[in-house]
Amino acid sequence: DLNIPMVFALEDCFRNPFNPTTNITYHIAEHAKVDIDVYNMNGQRVESLYSGLRNPGVYTLSWNASGATSGMYIIQMTSGSFVKTQKVMLLK
């Protein structure tokens, strides 16, 4: 199937800067456990957006940050040895 990604990837978040939601698109190359978390600039996890098994494919999820304060956040995708981060700016 040509639609199955060859590599794990975390795309640039869309809208960035954002208020209050941004979309996070990520690629899964093989059946794997995936964690997508949001961290503040102090390295504290503020929200878990997804944690579980995923089949190969491309997925998009939204982060609604209406309960968060303005500032820079880090979206982190982890799957096995793959770790990728993306900075996003929440402007209220």
Side-chain angles (χ1 to χ4, degrees), residues 2 5-6 9 13 15-17 21 30-31 54 56-57 60-62 66 68-69 72 78 87-88 92:
L2 296 175
M6 299 301 291
C13 297
R15 302 224 177 274
N16 189 16
T21 59
E30 61 194 38
H31 187 79
R54 281 283 197 220
T60 300
L61 56 80
S62 272
S66 57
T69 57
M72 187 76 76
T78 308
K87 284 184 180 175
V88 293
K92 290 193 168 180

Side-chain angles (χ1 to χ4, degrees), residues 2-76:
L2 296 175
N3 293 330
I4 294 179
M6 299 301 291
V7 295
F8 287 85
L10 177 65
E11 293 185 12
D12 289 345
C13 297
F14 180 76
R15 302 224 177 274
N16 189 16
F18 71 102
N19 178 30
T21 59
T22 186
N23 290 327
I24 300 145
T25 299
Y26 57 100
H27 301 233
I28 304 299
E30 61 194 38
H31 187 79
K33 182 178 187 314
V34 177
D35 293 292
I36 298 181
D37 298 300
V38 181
Y39 293 88
N40 63 22
M41 295 311 289
N42 296 324
Q44 299 163 309
R45 188 171 71 180
V46 294
E47 194 165 340
S48 174
L49 300 178
Y50 184 83
S51 181
L53 293 172
R54 281 283 197 220
N55 287 318
V58 177
Y59 298 89
T60 300
L61 56 80
S62 272
W63 178 36
N64 183 332
S66 57
T69 57
S70 294
M72 187 76 76
Y73 291 87
I74 296 172
I75 310 287
Q76 179 173 288

